[in-house]
Amino acid sequence: MGIRHGADFEHGQDAASPGDEIVLSIGVYQGSGNCDLQFDQGAFAGNPVNLTISGGNPLDPTVVARTIIDCQGSAANPPRAFRYVSGQTASSVVTGITIRNGYAPLEGTSAAGGAICCVGANPTIDHCIISNCHSDGQGGGIAVLGYGPWGGPQ
């Protein structure tokens, strides 16, 4: 399923089923519905996500650099791009996009993952650019919490 620039990314996620691919057109995706996307709700609640989020051509650096999720984050407004929780596996893929200006929100007593936070999850993230993302805690760009060095839950 394709998402055109100017569309609300969250609607694509809501319409997706496990195993689908969401392909983003070149452009900047920002604002409500394009950040703070969680993969432990809706059709994905209690299920492996098995969803690919991709720029049009992950192997073309020009396309990757021009397919942007801009979280527009700050300490006062702390969105990140994605949060994977509870068991998503390597078949959940983010590839060929740029994520910029993410800011990890304070959750409980810590902040983690300015662009992407994985808690008890192990998605595949490749051919991406992570820039200008921040966390007052762990992982200014990406944080992976609750997974052991062997790739399984701790």
Side-chain angles (χ1 to χ4, degrees):
M1 117 184 12
I3 305 291
R4 286 188 294 265
H5 174 248
D8 186 324
F9 184 99
E10 188 173 33
H11 285 97
Q13 177 198 6
D14 290 345
S17 297
D20 282 353
E21 179 176 11
I22 296 175
V23 180
L24 302 177
S25 297
I26 288 174
V28 179
Y29 299 82
Q30 59 190 22
S32 179
N34 291 308
C35 296
D36 277 336
L37 302 174
Q38 288 198 195
F39 296 98
D40 61 343
Q41 327 176 61
F44 304 106
N47 297 310
V49 174
N50 299 335
L51 174 70
T52 297
I53 300 164
S54 162
N57 183 352
L59 299 179
D60 183 336
T62 302
V63 172
V64 174
R66 294 179 57 212
T67 307
I68 302 165
I69 296 176
D70 186 347
C71 299
Q72 299 177 303
S74 67
N77 176 35
R80 67 169 62 92
F82 305 116
R83 186 167 196 254
Y84 290 89
V85 180
S86 301
Q88 288 83 31
T89 67
S91 59
S92 298
V93 179
V94 177
T95 184
I97 61 174
T98 293
I99 301 170
R100 69 181 183 202
N101 301 321
Y103 200 104
L106 183 63
E107 297 170 312
T109 59
S110 66
I116 300 171
C117 183
C118 307
V119 180
N122 187 29
T124 299
I125 301 162
D126 67 0
H127 298 98
C128 291
I129 298 169
I130 309 291
S131 70
N132 197 38
C133 293
H134 178 82
S135 171
D136 288 332
Q138 300 169 330
I142 299 171
V144 180
L145 309 170
Y147 250 72
W150 61 90
Q154 289 185 336

